[in-house]
Amino acid sequence: MPSPKKPSKPTASLTTLRERLGELDDLTQAASLAGWDEQTYMPPGGAAGRGEVLATLGRLAHARLTDPGLATLLDGLQQTPDLQETDARIVAAVDRDADRARRVPDRLVGDIARHTAAAQVAWHEARAADDFGPFQAALAHHVELRQELAGCFPEAAHPYDALLHAFEPDLTTERVQTVFAQLRDGLVPLIQEIAARPAPPTLPGPFPVDRQRDLALEIARAQGFEDEHWRLDLAVHPFAQSLGLADIRVTARYDERTLTGLFAVMHEVGHGLYERQTDPALARTTVGTGVSLGIHESQSRLWENLVGRSEAFWTHWHPRLLEAFGARALGGDDLPAFLRAINTVRPSPIRVEADEATYSLHVILRFELEVALMEGTLAVADLPAAWNAKTKELLGLDVASDKVGVLQDIHWAYGELGYFPTYAIGNIVAAQLWTVIRRELPTLDEDLARGDTTALREWLREHVHRHGRLFTPSELLMNITGSELDAQPFLDQLRAKYGALYGLG
Amino acid sequence: MPSPKKPSKPTASLTTLRERLGELDDLTQAASLAGWDEQTYMPPGGAAGRGEVLATLGRLAHARLTDPGLATLLDGLQQTPDLQETDARIVAAVDRDADRARRVPDRLVGDIARHTAAAQVAWHEARAADDFGPFQAALAHHVELRQELAGCFPEAAHPYDALLHAFEPDLTTERVQTVFAQLRDGLVPLIQEIAARPAPPTLPGPFPVDRQRDLALEIARAQGFEDEHWRLDLAVHPFAQSLGLADIRVTARYDERTLTGLFAVMHEVGHGLYERQTDPALARTTVGTGVSLGIHESQSRLWENLVGRSEAFWTHWHPRLLEAFGARALGGDDLPAFLRAINTVRPSPIRVEADEATYSLHVILRFELEVALMEGTLAVADLPAAWNAKTKELLGLDVASDKVGVLQDIHWAYGELGYFPTYAIGNIVAAQLWTVIRRELPTLDEDLARGDTTALREWLREHVHRHGRLFTPSELLMNITGSELDAQPFLDQLRAKYGALYGLG
C-alpha cells in the first residue's frame, strides 16, 4: 500500500494530466447522471434524445482517452524518476485504459454499438416468441464482433481474455477456469446434500411496500447511507450509481409478497459504500472508483449475504421487522426460523431468482458456454441444447423453454460476453475478505448484534475502498489476503453456514 | 414564415454543420439535465462536483461554438446561393451565437464566472446582516466586468444593449426605454385607482398540499402536459427545463396557505409547451428552443394570467376546486368572488409577491437602476437610496430595510444585469399575442369554459412555438401581430379586466 509521503512536486506535466483527467471524469459523470435519470425519472418519450446525448458524451470521452497528447504526457511521466507512488499508480492505471481504448478501432466500436441496438430488438422478439431462433443470427454476429475485438489483443493467451479484461483487468481465462472448476466441484455436492433435506417454510407475507421502503432506508443508514450524500429511489432493475464520490445513488424495487427488495437495497448500498469511501484525493482522476466489477460485486454480496443473512445482523433487526410487519407475515416471531427462511437453498432455472449457494452455478454455466463460443468449439445454433444440457448437469433441472433458459438474461443481447464471471468472482472475493475481516475484527458479531457497522465499514474503507483503482484487482486481493483468487473460503463458509442451518453431516 | 419547399440538397457542408450542432446541442442537454437534477434530486453533498461538471460542459460547448472551423463552415454556407430558407435561418442564428461567443474573450468569461461565486457569498452575507454594505464592492465589480463586456460590442448604441442581447437578441435599450415609459405612464394611475377601492377578501384556505398536487397535474394535463413526455417534480424555486423537445420537466412548490403553487404550475407548463411544440425538424440544431427570455415569458404569463385568471377558465375548473378544497377554504362557492380574490391588485415592496398589474413596475424600477449603473450616472454606493426613492415613486411604498429592498433578488449576485426587463416584456408580448388570438379564435371563451385548450395550444404551436429560433423575437412578433413591442394592448387589457372587477370608471 502507498505509505503517506510528501505530495509530488506539482510538475507542469502532472498538472496538465490532472486537468485532462478532470475533464474526462466530468464527462463520465455527466453520462452517469444521464444513465441514472434514464432508469429513474426520465419520461419514456425522452429515450431517443437521451441515446444521442449518451453517444456524444461517450465519443468525447473516448476521444480524450485516445488523444495522442495524452499518450505523450503519460509516456513522459512514466519516465520521470521521482514520481510519487500514488501519482505513478494513477499514470499506470490511465495508461492501461488508454492503451485498451486505442487498440480497438473506432470503426469496430461503432459496429458494436450499432449491432447492439439491432440485437436487442431481435432478443425481445425471440423472448416474445419463446424461441431462440429469431435471436440466433444477432448473437452469432455479436460473437464475430467480439472475436474481432479479441484479435486487437494478439498477445493474450486466450481470445476470451480480451473480453474479461474489460471488467477484470488482470484476470486470465485460465485462472477463472481453474477457480470455477474448484467452485463447481464444491458446490454441486453441497447443493445436492441440501436438496435432500426438506425446504424451510417460506415467509407468508404480505410486506406492505411503504413499510419496506421505510425499513430499507433505516437499514441503509445503518450501513452508512448519509442523507447529505446519498439518494434512494425506485427503479425497475435496482442498481447503484456514483456521480463522483460525494453523490451516491442507489435504487430499489419492492414487492409486497417478499422481502427481496430489502436485500437488494443492502446489496446496492454495498456498491455505493465502495464509491463513497474512495480517497477524496482521487476525485476527478478517473481512478477514484471501483477497480473491477468482481471486486465491486464482492462489496455488494458481502453486505447482502455475509452481513444481511447472518444471525448477528438479524439479532438487532428482527425485532424491528416484527414491529413493521407483524409475526403473522413473518411466520412467527422465531429468529432461527426466520434465518432458515432467508437462507433457503433450492435450485431454480432462473439466475436472478437463485440463492446465495446456487447462484454461482448459473454463472459457471454461462462462462463455459461463452468460452466455447469464443473458441469456436460451440456453434451459436447449438447454444440452446448446450444450455439445457448444462442446466441438467449443474443444477439437475430440465429447462421448460428458451424464455426461462437461454433467453433469460439480456446481457448477450448487449453483446456483453465476459461480464457474467464477475458475479461469481464477487461471491468468491467477498468470502476471501470475510476470512480476514473475522480475524481482524473479533467483536464483529457483537457489533452487528447491536446494529453497529462502524468497525466493518472502516475496515472496508481502509483496506479496499480508499484505494480506488490504484492497485489492480489481483494486487488488491494479494495485499489484503496474501492469496490470489481462491474459491475455498467461499465453499468453507457455505458449508459451515448451511451445515448448521440444515443439520448436514 | 418559411413556406413548405423541397428540402435543401444535403450538401456536405450542411451535413457537417448538423453534426457539429448535434454535438453542441447534446452538451447543452447534458448540462440542462445536470442543472435540473441539481434543483430537484441531487443530495446537497454533490454540489461541488456538480459545479465542476457544469463548468466542463460549458467550456466544451463554448469551445465548439467559437471553433474557427465552425466559422469557416458558416461563412461558406452563407455564400451558398440556393440554401433552403430554414437552413439559411439556422445558419444565421448559429452565426449570431458564434459571433457573440467569439467577441467575449475567454479571460473575461472566466473572470465573470469566478467573481459570480464570490459575489453570491457576499450577497448572502449582506442578506443575513440586512445591510447592503457587505455586497457593495462585489456588485461594483460585477458592474465593472459588465462594462468591460459591453466594450466587446463597440458598435452598440448603448452599453446596456450588450447585456440585453444575451436575453433579447434584437431589442435595443432605447426601445425598452420607450415601451417602459408607456407602460409606466399607464400602470401608475391604474394602480392608484384600484388602490383607492377596498381590497377583495383573500381566500381563507387551508389548501392541503397533496390535493394541490393532484389538481396541478390535472390542470397541467388540460394545458397539454403528456405523461409520455413530461415530468412534474418539486423544487424550491419552480422552473421549467427542456431536455430536447421530447422530454419536458416542470417543477412546483406548494404552500397550504395559498393557491400560488397552482398558478406557478400553469406558468411553468406554459414555458414547457413552447419547447415541446417546437418543430421536431429543429431537434439537435441548437435552434429548436425558445427564441428569447421575453418571448418565453410571454408563453408562461399567457397561461398563468390571461388563461389562468380568467372567468372562462374557472367556469370549468371552479367546481373541481370546490370539490377538492370545500367552499369554506374558498370563502364560499361564488365564482365572481373567487375571481376577485385571485385578481387582487395591491402594491407590495417584494417583486416575487407582486400581482399581474404591479409586477411590471418592479421590473421598470430595476431596469432604470441597471441602465444608470451601466451609464455610470449612478454609483453602486448610492444604489440603496435610489432603490428606495424609486419604490416610493412607482409603488408609493416605503422600504423597511435592504433585505426587502435592494437585496431582495439574487439576480445581481449572479451579475445578471439585463435579465429583469424580460419579465415585463413577457407581460407585454403576451397581451399583444392575446389580441390576435381573441380575434382569430372567436370561440376561445366557450372552449375554455368547457376545459378545452386544444385550439389555443394549436394556435400557439402554429404561430409561435414551432419556429424555435428561426426568427428573431422582433421578426416573430411582427409576423404575428404586425407590430413591434408595444405596451398598449397590455394596458388596455388590464384596464378592461380590473375596470370590471373593481368597478372602475
Side-chain angles (χ1 to χ4, degrees):
Chain A
M1 318 252 156
S3 52
K5 292 184 194 166
K6 283 185 295 182
S8 306
K9 283 175 199 160
T11 65
S13 297
L14 266 183
T15 306
T16 307
L17 179 67
R18 285 286 189 145
E19 281 168 8
R20 282 175 176 257
L21 297 182
E23 193 173 272
L24 187 52
D25 213 296
D26 288 336
L27 284 168
T28 306
Q29 260 195 52
S32 297
L33 173 63
W36 172 86
D37 179 76
E38 193 171 29
Q39 293 186 64
T40 51
Y41 294 109
M42 186 184 78
R50 183 56 49 87
E52 299 278 8
V53 170
L54 284 167
T56 290
L57 293 171
R59 200 169 51 242
L60 294 179
H62 185 260
R64 270 151 188 75
L65 191 55
T66 56
D67 179 55
L70 178 65
T72 307
L73 197 58
L74 292 167
D75 282 351
L77 283 163
Q78 282 175 316
Q79 281 148 36
T80 304
D82 58 349
L83 210 58
Q84 225 252 342
E85 188 183 342
T86 297
D87 289 325
R89 288 189 176 277
I90 291 173
V91 167
V94 175
D95 191 50
R96 282 191 296 273
D97 299 342
D99 178 60
R100 188 176 164 88
R102 274 194 307 267
R103 298 275 283 277
V104 185
D106 288 351
R107 197 263 316 146
L108 180 55
V109 173
D111 286 352
I112 289 175
R114 272 184 298 279
H115 182 57
T116 299
Q120 283 175 72
V121 175
W123 179 81
H124 283 287
E125 194 188 325
R127 290 261 301 177
D130 196 1
D131 173 20
F132 181 70
F135 183 49
Q136 182 180 317
L139 181 57
H141 190 48
H142 261 320
V143 172
E144 283 163 19
L145 289 168
R146 297 291 151 159
Q147 280 164 341
E148 194 180 341
L149 180 74
C152 302
F153 301 88
E155 75 284 10
H158 192 285
Y160 192 79
D161 283 5
L163 310 188
L164 198 56
H165 289 173
F167 310 109
E168 290 300 323
D170 68 350
L171 201 58
T172 63
T173 305
E174 190 188 0
R175 182 77 209 146
V176 176
Q177 285 172 323
T178 304
V179 173
F180 278 11
Q182 177 194 19
L183 186 58
R184 168 192 179 133
D185 292 347
L187 282 179
V188 171
L190 173 67
I191 290 162
Q192 284 168 356
E193 279 180 72
I194 296 173
R197 303 270 164 164
T202 53
L203 302 174
F207 307 103
V209 164
D210 55 343
R211 275 178 251 164
Q212 283 197 59
R213 288 176 74 152
D214 292 347
L215 194 60
L217 194 57
E218 279 178 50
I219 293 177
R221 287 185 179 128
Q223 287 179 262
F225 178 112
E226 317 139 278
D227 293 354
E228 179 80 8
H229 288 287
W230 295 63
R231 287 200 56 83
L232 175 55
D233 297 276
L234 296 177
V236 175
H237 302 288
F239 66 98
Q241 178 66 61
S242 76
L243 306 175
L245 43 84
D247 181 351
I248 309 293
R249 310 201 174 184
V250 290
T251 61
R253 185 176 59 166
Y254 307 101
D255 174 342
E256 80 164 11
R257 291 167 301 177
T258 83
L259 291 176
T260 319
L262 285 187
F263 290 95
V265 170
M266 288 185 244
H267 179 105
E268 301 307 339
V269 172
H271 281 303
L273 278 172
Y274 190 178
E275 299 288 318
R276 174 73 189 122
Q277 298 205 118
T278 307
D279 184 349
L282 300 181
R284 297 185 79 242
T285 65
T286 77
V287 177
T289 185
V291 68
S292 77
L293 288 196
I295 303 290
H296 234 303
E297 195 72 7
S298 78
Q299 298 308 295
S300 54
R301 303 256 167 167
L302 187 150
W303 286 96
E304 176 190 358
N305 291 329
L306 304 183
V307 175
R309 296 184 197 275
S310 73
E311 180 176 355
F313 179 81
W314 289 105
T315 299
H316 177 79
W317 287 99
H318 191 243
R320 180 69 191 84
L321 206 60
L322 284 165
E323 185 185 304
F325 303 114
R328 189 175 178 146
L330 291 162
D333 60 3
D334 180 44
L335 177 57
F338 174 74
L339 290 171
R340 279 192 296 276
I342 63 169
N343 282 291
T344 300
V345 173
R346 275 299 174 268
S348 143
I350 307 291
R351 177 183 60 86
V352 296
E353 294 171 4
D355 54 70
E356 184 186 2
T358 58
Y359 193 97
S360 299
L361 293 178
H362 291 269
V363 171
I364 292 172
L365 179 155
R366 287 155 178 76
F367 168 71
E368 292 181 356
L369 295 175
E370 288 183 351
V371 169
L373 288 172
M374 285 297 286
E375 286 175 343
T377 54
L378 173 65
V380 171
D382 300 328
L383 189 61
W387 180 285
N388 298 350
K390 275 209 186 292
T391 304
K392 187 73 181 176
E393 177 192 333
L394 293 170
L395 294 157
L397 298 172
D398 295 313
V399 176
S401 73
D402 289 346
K403 195 170 170 180
V404 290
V406 67
L407 291 174
Q408 69 182 263
D409 301 307
I410 201 170
H411 300 58
W412 288 346
Y414 283 101
E416 271 178 356
L417 282 74
Y419 189 111
F420 281 119
T422 68
Y423 291 127
I425 291 167
N427 285 330
I428 292 168
V429 171
Q432 289 186 266
L433 296 176
W434 198 243
T435 303
V436 183
I437 289 168
R438 296 216 69 105
R439 192 169 63 227
E440 298 192 359
L441 301 178
T443 64
L444 179 60
D445 279 349
E446 291 90 318
D447 290 351
L448 293 177
R450 281 197 325 272
D452 184 354
T453 66
T454 314
L456 174 59
R457 194 167 58 245
E458 287 305 316
W459 190 96
L460 292 169
R461 181 206 300 273
E462 177 62 23
H463 297 279
V464 182
H465 300 171
R466 71 182 172 97
H467 302 301
R469 303 198 299 134
L470 288 180
F471 299 95
T472 68
S474 302
E475 286 170 349
L476 187 75
L477 196 58
M478 183 61 78
N479 287 343
I480 299 171
T481 67
S483 163
E484 56 186 336
L485 191 68
D486 175 12
Q488 201 55 51
F490 179 53
L491 292 168
D492 292 345
Q493 286 168 26
L494 286 183
R495 184 158 282 278
K497 172 163 136 180
Y498 291 112
L501 283 168
Y502 283 89
L504 304 181
Chain B
M1 318 252 156
S3 52
K5 292 183 195 164
K6 280 185 297 182
S8 308
K9 283 175 198 158
T11 66
S13 296
L14 266 183
T15 306
T16 308
L17 179 67
R18 285 285 188 144
E19 280 168 9
R20 283 176 175 257
L21 297 183
E23 193 173 89
L24 187 51
D25 213 296
D26 288 336
L27 284 168
T28 306
Q29 261 196 50
S32 297
L33 173 62
W36 172 85
D37 179 77
E38 193 171 29
Q39 294 185 65
T40 51
Y41 293 110
M42 186 185 77
R50 183 57 48 88
E52 299 278 8
V53 169
L54 285 167
T56 289
L57 293 172
R59 200 168 52 242
L60 293 179
H62 185 259
R64 269 153 189 76
L65 191 56
T66 57
D67 179 57
L70 178 64
T72 308
L73 197 57
L74 292 167
D75 282 351
L77 283 164
Q78 282 175 316
Q79 281 148 35
T80 303
D82 57 349
L83 211 57
Q84 226 253 339
E85 188 181 343
T86 297
D87 289 326
R89 289 190 176 276
I90 291 173
V91 167
V94 175
D95 191 52
R96 283 192 296 273
D97 298 341
D99 177 61
R100 186 171 167 91
R102 273 195 308 268
R103 298 275 284 275
V104 185
D106 289 350
R107 197 263 317 144
L108 180 55
V109 173
D111 285 354
I112 288 175
R114 270 183 300 278
H115 182 58
T116 298
Q120 283 176 71
V121 174
W123 180 80
H124 283 287
E125 193 189 326
R127 290 260 302 177
D130 197 1
D131 173 20
F132 181 70
F135 182 51
Q136 182 181 318
L139 181 57
H141 190 47
H142 261 321
V143 172
E144 284 163 20
L145 288 168
R146 298 290 151 159
Q147 281 165 338
E148 194 179 341
L149 179 74
C152 302
F153 302 88
E155 75 283 12
H158 192 284
Y160 193 81
D161 283 3
L163 311 189
L164 196 57
H165 289 173
F167 311 109
E168 291 299 325
D170 68 351
L171 201 59
T172 63
T173 305
E174 191 188 359
R175 181 79 210 145
V176 176
Q177 284 171 323
T178 304
V179 173
F180 279 11
Q182 177 194 19
L183 187 58
R184 170 193 178 132
D185 292 347
L187 282 179
V188 171
L190 173 67
I191 291 163
Q192 282 168 357
E193 280 180 71
I194 295 172
R197 305 272 163 161
T202 54
L203 302 174
F207 307 102
V209 165
D210 55 343
R211 272 177 253 166
Q212 284 198 59
R213 289 176 73 151
D214 292 346
L215 194 59
L217 193 58
E218 279 178 51
I219 293 176
R221 287 186 179 128
Q223 286 179 264
F225 178 112
E226 317 138 278
D227 292 355
E228 179 79 8
H229 288 286
W230 295 63
R231 285 200 59 81
L232 174 56
D233 296 276
L234 297 176
V236 175
H237 302 288
F239 67 99
Q241 178 66 62
S242 76
L243 306 175
L245 45 84
D247 181 351
I248 308 293
R249 308 198 176 187
V250 290
T251 61
R253 184 175 60 167
Y254 307 101
D255 174 342
E256 79 165 12
R257 291 167 301 177
T258 83
L259 291 177
T260 318
L262 285 188
F263 290 95
V265 170
M266 288 185 243
H267 179 104
E268 301 306 340
V269 171
H271 281 303
L273 278 173
Y274 189 0
E275 300 287 320
R276 175 72 189 122
Q277 298 204 122
T278 308
D279 183 349
L282 300 181
R284 297 184 80 242
T285 65
T286 76
V287 177
T289 186
V291 67
S292 78
L293 289 194
I295 303 290
H296 234 304
E297 195 72 7
S298 79
Q299 298 308 294
S300 55
R301 305 255 166 168
L302 186 150
W303 285 96
E304 177 191 357
N305 291 330
L306 304 184
V307 175
R309 296 183 199 275
S310 72
E311 181 177 353
F313 180 82
W314 289 106
T315 299
H316 177 78
W317 286 99
H318 190 244
R320 179 69 190 85
L321 206 61
L322 283 166
E323 183 186 303
F325 303 115
R328 189 176 179 148
L330 291 162
D333 59 5
D334 181 43
L335 178 57
F338 174 74
L339 290 171
R340 279 191 297 274
I342 62 169
N343 282 292
T344 301
V345 173
R346 273 299 172 268
S348 144
I350 308 290
R351 176 183 61 85
V352 296
E353 294 171 3
D355 55 69
E356 184 186 0
T358 57
Y359 193 98
S360 298
L361 292 177
H362 292 268
V363 172
I364 292 171
L365 179 156
R366 287 154 180 76
F367 168 73
E368 291 180 358
L369 294 175
E370 288 183 352
V371 169
L373 288 172
M374 284 297 286
E375 286 175 343
T377 53
L378 173 66
V380 172
D382 300 328
L383 188 61
W387 180 286
N388 298 349
K390 276 210 184 289
T391 304
K392 187 74 182 176
E393 176 191 333
L394 292 170
L395 294 156
L397 297 172
D398 294 313
V399 176
S401 73
D402 290 345
K403 196 170 169 179
V404 292
V406 67
L407 292 174
Q408 69 181 265
D409 301 307
I410 201 171
H411 301 57
W412 287 346
Y414 283 100
E416 271 178 355
L417 282 74
Y419 189 111
F420 280 120
T422 68
Y423 292 127
I425 292 167
N427 285 330
I428 293 168
V429 171
Q432 289 185 264
L433 296 177
W434 199 243
T435 303
V436 182
I437 289 168
R438 297 216 68 106
R439 191 169 63 227
E440 298 192 359
L441 300 178
T443 64
L444 179 61
D445 278 350
E446 291 89 320
D447 290 350
L448 293 177
R450 281 196 325 272
D452 185 354
T453 66
T454 314
L456 174 59
R457 195 165 59 244
E458 289 304 318
W459 190 95
L460 291 169
R461 181 206 300 273
E462 176 64 23
H463 297 278
V464 182
H465 300 171
R466 70 182 173 98
H467 302 301
R469 304 199 296 132
L470 289 179
F471 299 94
T472 68
S474 302
E475 286 170 348
L476 187 75
L477 196 59
M478 182 61 77
N479 287 344
I480 300 170
T481 66
S483 162
E484 57 185 335
L485 192 69
D486 175 12
Q488 202 54 52
F490 179 53
L491 292 168
D492 291 345
Q493 287 168 26
L494 286 183
R495 183 159 285 278
K497 172 162 136 178
Y498 293 111
L501 282 168
Y502 284 89
L504 304 181

